[in-house]
Amino acid sequence: MAHEPTPGAAAEPAPEHDPQLESARLKERLYAAITMIAVAIGLAGAEHTTAPAAAASVGATSVGLWLATLVADAQAHRVVHGSTGGVRELRRLLFVSSPLLLSAVGPLILIGAAGLGLMDLDTALLTSAGVNVAGLFAWGCSGALRMGGGTVAALVGGAVDAAIGTLVALVKAAGH
């Protein structure tokens, strides 16, 4: 039996239909992609990196970012609203921040393949970075198309997003 909203109460949109929630979630996905590019490039450039060490770095980065985001968002909510927000706010935080954890899946699969001897570790790490750059390109194309641009605008938007994301990742990787 479907849950019916209380008469006179505003229906709460499903998370996948709330533009502000989706925007916040996409922001986290893009930030996570840029971070994973930086981690992968940094690990690929490091001498004597092993698959287990690379997996630990990727996992720790992902979990660390996720936990930092949860703490920062919860603290910001308490300061701005004067309350914890309860279960509803916690569900929102978990939904929005989950891409920070999911960003590690692809790199971990490729690192695992390297650990099994199916590919070189540097190849796995650079492939992971390349996949994330391609993702940034795709999101840039999607954004340009969504704003009414044609094919050329989409390709330019994708190239700009991929280039900016890569530059930011390279700066982050150089700093570590």
Side-chain angles (χ1 to χ4, degrees), residues 92-112:
R92 186 195 73 74
L93 285 175
L94 292 173
F95 178 74
V96 167
S97 65
S98 65
L100 294 169
L101 290 173
L102 296 173
S103 69
V105 173
L108 288 173
I109 289 170
L110 291 168
I111 292 167

Side-chain angles (χ1 to χ4, degrees), residues 120-176:
D120 181 67
L121 181 57
D122 282 349
T123 301
L125 292 167
L126 293 175
T127 300
S128 170
V131 168
N132 277 305
V133 170
L136 294 175
F137 177 82
W139 284 113
C141 288
S142 175
L145 290 172
R146 182 96 190 210
M147 292 178 0
T151 303
V152 171
L155 293 173
V156 169
V160 167
D161 281 6
I164 290 171
T166 302
L167 288 174
V168 169
L170 289 172
V171 167
K172 287 178 84 164
H176 294 292

